């Protein structure tokens, strides 16, 4: 098995193009293409479907990418451990978060400390972002879902609370607080299943035997905002994620504490990787 062939394959698979992969690796495209072709020929395997200037992974190629992602992540871990790196100046950090609101302040701080770093931010719900860690699609997860799984290292980031919001013209918009009981028969706009916001809120309703009116399920916080603006019902969000501007009013839920913690997680085996450790240090320092 040629490690150079695997590196070439991994670079092209991540870039989605031989040209972009060659530029990023600082080698010629013919050299990179030759390495990938040799890997395919040696194992009689089709790893890419060539489509014009780009490429798409075959099912076998996707499985190999899952393996090479873990392989080269482990290499990074070993390098960080052996070199004892204490500072980070360049590299690429992948974040999976259930909210950009919680991620952006940390990324801004990281950039201040190391201007050579680049970032990618993947937004999902609280369930999927931990899966992104396990599948090596992310280096860091920011989630409202705590986990006792020993494969994760977890840090408390902040505490938040679930609130209601409505357009300024809604009949409840003048209220600062609304008892949960008043939501009986009220139409609500709520996140998809897997969202901690939804789980916390629905649990509170069920425990008190409160049945709302119509539940409008949408995917993503921006969709919640748009549905509420269109008059489909009251929205449920974390207070830190309240839509900005004068078009909406937030209302606390008066009689039920709906406090939720937000966490930062990584794979426990990757805590020593320099970029991951630096990000966790920011959380510990309370710089978010």
């Amino acid at each position: 098995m040629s490690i150079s062939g695997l590196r070439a394959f991994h670079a092209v698979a991540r870039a989605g193009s031989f040209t972009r992969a060659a530029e990023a690796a600082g080698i010629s495209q013919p050299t990179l293409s030759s390495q990938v072709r040799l890997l395919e020929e040696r194992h009689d395997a089709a790893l890419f479907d060539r489509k014009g200037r780009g490429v798409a992974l075959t099912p076998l190629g996707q499985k190999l990418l899952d393996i090479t992602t873990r392989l080269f992540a482990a290499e990074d871990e070993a390098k960080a451990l052996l070199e004892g790196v204490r500072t980070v100046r360049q590299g690429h950090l992948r974040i999976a978060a259930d909210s950009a609101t919680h991620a952006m302040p940390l990324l801004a701080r990281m950039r201040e400390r190391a201007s050579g770093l680049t970032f990618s931010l993947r937004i999902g719900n609280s369930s999927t972002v931990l899966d992104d860690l396990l599948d090596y699609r992310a280096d860091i997860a920011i989630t409202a879902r705590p986990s006792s799984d020993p494969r994760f290292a977890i840090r408390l980031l902040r505490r938040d609370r679930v609130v209601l919001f409505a357009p300024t013209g809604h009949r409840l918009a003048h209220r600062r607080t609304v008892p949960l009981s008043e939501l009986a028969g009220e139409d609500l706009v709520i996140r998809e299943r897997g969202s901690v916001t939804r789980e916390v809120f629905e649990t509170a309703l069920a425990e008190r035997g409160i049945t709302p009116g119509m539940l409008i399920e949408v995917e993503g916080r921006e969709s919640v905002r748009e549905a509420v603006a269109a008059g489909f019902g009251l929205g449920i969000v974390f207070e830190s994620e309240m839509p900005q501007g004068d078009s909406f009013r937030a209302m606390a839920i008066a009689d039920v504490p709906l406090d939720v913690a937000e966490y930062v997680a990584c794979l426990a085996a990757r805590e020593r990787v320099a970029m991951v450790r630096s990000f966790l240090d920011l959380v510990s320092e309370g710089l978010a």
Side-chain angles (χ1 to χ4, degrees):
M1 178 68 67
S2 166
I3 192 66
S4 61
L6 289 177
R7 286 189 188 281
F9 159 79
H10 187 74
V12 175
R14 292 291 301 276
S17 159
F18 279 89
T19 300
R20 289 195 295 269
E23 290 173 352
I27 61 176
S28 70
Q29 182 176 330
T31 297
L32 191 69
S33 298
S34 176
Q35 291 173 337
V36 172
R37 185 172 61 255
L38 184 61
L39 180 68
E40 290 181 311
E41 291 175 352
R42 183 172 294 169
H43 299 281
D44 194 21
L47 302 175
F48 294 107
D49 289 323
R50 276 72 169 174
K51 298 182 178 180
R53 295 185 177 182
V55 294
L57 287 166
T58 64
L60 179 62
Q62 182 59 61
K63 291 179 180 179
L64 183 59
L65 177 60
D66 292 341
I67 294 171
T68 58
T69 298
R70 296 192 296 270
L71 172 66
F72 295 123
E75 184 180 58
D76 290 341
E77 294 166 28
K79 182 178 179 181
L81 176 63
L82 295 175
E83 292 182 354
V85 179
R86 295 184 179 276
T87 60
V88 178
R89 298 193 182 279
Q90 60 184 4
H92 184 76
L93 186 66
R94 300 165 301 160
I95 310 293
D98 58 10
S99 169
T101 302
H102 297 128
M104 285 303 177
L106 284 165
L107 294 181
R109 292 286 187 173
M110 282 287 286
R111 189 177 181 185
E112 288 176 5
R113 292 190 171 189
S115 59
L117 281 179
T118 58
F119 307 96
S120 60
L121 178 60
R122 179 188 183 104
I123 302 297
N125 63 43
S126 297
S127 298
T128 62
V129 296
L130 290 177
D131 291 337
D132 287 338
L133 283 184
L134 292 173
D135 293 337
Y136 285 80
R137 291 189 297 265
D139 306 302
I140 293 287
I142 301 177
T143 174
R145 186 180 300 282
S147 175
S148 59
D149 190 324
R151 292 176 295 179
F152 297 125
I154 305 286
R155 303 281 191 280
L156 176 65
L157 175 59
R158 61 179 296 172
R159 295 193 177 277
D160 213 334
R161 66 172 178 167
V162 176
V163 298
L164 304 169
F165 75 99
T168 52
H170 193 280
R171 63 181 180 79
L172 296 177
H174 67 286
R175 305 266 295 273
R176 288 194 174 185
T177 61
V178 176
L180 199 67
S181 58
E182 285 194 28
L183 300 182
E186 193 75 41
D187 292 344
L188 302 173
V189 180
I190 200 161
R191 287 283 306 274
E192 74 279 3
R193 295 194 181 279
S195 160
V196 168
T197 312
R198 175 174 182 155
E199 288 182 10
V200 168
F201 190 75
E202 285 192 325
T203 297
L205 291 176
E207 287 176 347
R208 289 155 184 81
I210 298 169
T211 302
M214 185 179 295
L215 284 181
I216 309 299
E217 179 180 309
V218 297
E219 186 170 345
R221 288 170 176 81
E222 186 62 27
S223 297
V224 172
R225 179 190 182 282
E226 294 301 322
V228 171
F232 283 97
L234 296 173
I236 297 98
V237 293
F238 286 141
E239 187 173 31
S240 64
E241 298 164 349
M242 253 301 294
Q244 299 300 308
D246 299 326
S247 300
F248 299 100
R249 294 288 183 270
M251 294 157 282
I253 299 171
D255 51 349
V256 182
L258 297 181
D259 295 334
V260 177
E262 194 79 12
Y263 302 90
V264 170
C266 70
L267 290 177
R270 304 200 69 213
E271 277 189 281
R272 292 179 179 271
V273 174
M275 286 187 297
V276 173
R277 188 180 64 244
S278 293
F279 196 94
L280 295 178
D281 287 345
L282 285 180
V283 176
S284 298
E285 293 166 12
L287 294 177

